[in-house]
Amino acid sequence: MIMAAEAYCQAIGTLQSHSYLNNFYHHQKLQNNFVRLKAKDFINSNGLSSRSSSSGQRNCGAIPSLSQTAVVDPVLSPSRSNSGDTYKKSNEASLILIRHGESLWNEKNLFTGCVDVPLSKKGIDEAIEAGKRISSIPVDVIFTSALIRAQMTAMLAMTQHRRGKVPIIMHNESEQARSWSQVASEDTKKQSIPVIAAWQLNERMYGELQGLNKQETADRYGKEKVHEWRRSYDIPPPNGESLEMCAQRAVAYFRDQIEPQLLSGKNVMISAHGNSLRSIIMYLDKLTSQEVISLELSTGIPMLYIFKEGRFIRRGSPIGPSEAGVYAYTRRLALYRQKLDDMFQ
Ligand SMILES: O=C(O)[C@@H](CO)OP(=O)(O)O
């Protein structure tokens, strides 16, 4: 776990492992206070959520009505009597961010941007490993970019989730696509997780660099110039997007479409890209345009935030379900894992 904490701290470019470790030591105390909830609570408690996103729909034609798809997960419901309102009252939600696993172009060291390239064999393994790390963390709705490497990562990761729900891509690109992908069974819907694909979460568009080898480009234009294109905040690569431009669409989407889900208590996973996630982390962690320059994200490492009382609290990179890890941080997460243990051991 110490290694996981350090790896995460490296990934965010800061060193705050002491607070992570303090929370780990606090775990023993917390564990003694667990209430062991019975599997029958899971079986008896359920309900359809009637809420949909309160946000505007201006960004993307692919925004589904979550009221038709999202359900209250009874594993998360503390009481059978108020299952319909659980999320509203919980005032806490998990947010998992994951950069896709290694792609075939990452492997070849090519600028990728918005070119739609699949995962490499190593990337597939990374996505499965990431899924193991988050297998005991609740997920109610998944947002991915429109690109296959992020979607593959989300889907592969969810094959490892202990809750066993099925991630289903929402097809809202046309009325026909929406109606032809309807699920007829309410029971089946309850065992599904909506997956919403949005181009706003895509990798930054790398313009004339897309498909070029990064090393050869540095040899040709100079290391400093290429570093400026790759990591400066507001200087775009030729005919591409700067990080600032990428942030404008990614953070707007996060605020308009994802934050309302968290506010209503839904647990969210976002599977996206190095630069769209750097922009979102800049927003979550209130990084300056100078600080974000040194923020690097590894492929396939999930990062957890707790959204509570309107604030995002960074909680590191979740590790295996049998270890304390992030579950020491909140009672809600600990109870969720305990219920999974009760159900599936
Ligand atoms: O090529 C890309 O699309 C990105 C991510 O792989 O590269 P960089 O890390 O240079 O922004």
Side-chain angles (χ1 to χ4, degrees):
M1 173 163 35
I2 292 172
M3 280 176 63
E6 286 174 351
Y8 174 72
C9 289
Q10 272 174 10
I12 59 163
T14 59
L15 263 175
Q16 297 186 350
S17 53
H18 61 282
S19 61
Y20 187 94
L21 296 177
N22 283 345
N23 279 296
F24 166 58
Y25 294 127
H26 177 65
H27 171 69
Q28 281 309 113
K29 195 176 158 204
L30 188 73
Q31 225 182 12
N32 293 336
N33 296 330
F34 281 175
V35 179
R36 282 184 73 83
L37 297 172
K38 297 283 181 289
K40 69 179 164 63
D41 290 337
F42 167 75
I43 293 157
N44 289 339
S45 152
N46 60 56
L48 273 175
S49 169
S50 60
R51 269 178 298 283
S52 60
S53 164
S54 60
S55 60
Q57 303 277 303
R58 66 182 170 77
N59 270 338
C60 178
I63 307 297
S65 164
L66 286 180
S67 60
Q68 290 164 17
T69 54
V71 294
V72 172
D73 186 337
V75 172
L76 292 163
S77 176
S79 149
R80 269 171 282 161
S81 59
N82 69 347
S83 58
D85 252 349
T86 299
Y87 285 113
K88 197 173 180 184
K89 290 174 183 165
S90 69
N91 199 26
E92 181 186 307
S94 305
L95 170 65
I96 298 166
L97 306 181
I98 179 166
R99 182 183 172 200
H100 62 81
E102 183 197 73
S103 76
L104 287 170
W105 276 17
N106 291 143
E107 191 181 39
K108 291 178 186 298
N109 201 24
L110 305 183
F111 282 101
T112 313
C114 286
V115 181
D116 206 355
V117 175
L119 296 183
S120 66
K121 169 78 176 68
K122 181 180 165 203
I124 290 171
D125 292 344
E126 286 176 339
I128 292 170
E129 186 54 34
K132 289 181 182 152
R133 289 183 179 218
I134 58 160
S135 64
S136 295
I137 295 182
V139 178
D140 300 312
V141 54
I142 297 171
F143 290 87
T144 78
S145 76
L147 301 172
I148 193 75
R149 56 193 186 274
Q151 296 182 8
M152 281 177 83
T153 300
M155 293 305 203
L156 288 166
M158 290 312 290
T159 64
Q160 303 302 306
H161 202 279
R162 296 171 72 206
R163 179 65 184 81
K165 286 191 173 184
V166 177
I168 295 183
I169 295 179
M170 299 291 104
H171 282 285
N172 289 297
E173 56 269 23
S174 70
E175 196 43 56
Q176 180 174 322
R178 193 197 320 272
S179 83
W180 283 19
S181 60
Q182 284 295 307
V183 176
S185 158
E186 290 303 319
D187 281 347
T188 304
K189 276 192 212 173
K190 287 175 194 164
Q191 294 306 320
S192 309
I193 301 176
V195 179
I196 299 159
W199 66 266
Q200 291 90 336
L201 299 174
N202 281 6
E203 182 53 285
R204 71 192 282 193
M205 204 278 279
Y206 254 115
E208 291 171 26
L209 302 187
Q210 290 185 172
L212 300 188
N213 182 283
K214 290 177 185 176
Q215 186 54 52
E216 287 168 14
T217 309
D219 294 344
R220 181 165 174 199
Y221 295 98
K223 214 172 144 192
E224 278 177 17
K225 185 75 209 160
V226 171
H227 184 73
E228 187 178 83
W229 284 335
R230 291 179 69 185
R231 287 297 171 267
S232 64
Y233 181 63
D234 52 7
I235 301 172
N239 287 318
E241 281 184 307
S242 63
L243 185 65
E244 185 179 28
M245 291 154 82
C246 175
Q248 272 166 13
R249 53 156 164 103
V251 174
Y253 185 83
F254 182 88
R255 296 179 63 163
D256 290 351
Q257 304 298 336
I258 300 177
E259 244 178 71
Q261 299 300 326
L262 293 161
L263 268 171
S264 71
K266 292 206 174 66
N267 302 288
V268 174
M269 179 166 95
I270 304 175
S271 177
H273 303 264
N275 293 295
S276 52
L277 288 175
R278 287 172 73 227
S279 330
I280 289 171
I281 290 172
M282 184 181 178
Y283 167 70
L284 300 179
D285 288 351
K286 299 185 171 56
L287 302 182
T288 65
S289 52
Q290 271 305 306
E291 287 168 332
V292 77
I293 287 174
S294 52
L295 175 62
E296 294 285 348
L297 303 181
S298 308
T299 51
I301 303 292
M303 293 161 280
L304 177 70
Y305 285 78
I306 303 297
F307 180 70
K308 197 169 182 181
E309 288 156 13
R311 288 194 315 127
F312 291 96
I313 307 159
R314 194 187 328 117
R315 285 310 190 202
S317 181
I319 55 170
S322 61
E323 297 168 69
V326 297
Y327 306 100
Y329 287 118
T330 82
R331 180 178 168 78
R332 190 167 177 266
L333 277 183
L335 285 173
Y336 181 79
R337 188 177 66 164
Q338 186 64 55
K339 279 197 172 189
L340 289 175
D341 289 348
D342 288 348
M343 283 175 62
F344 300 118
Q345 64 193 350

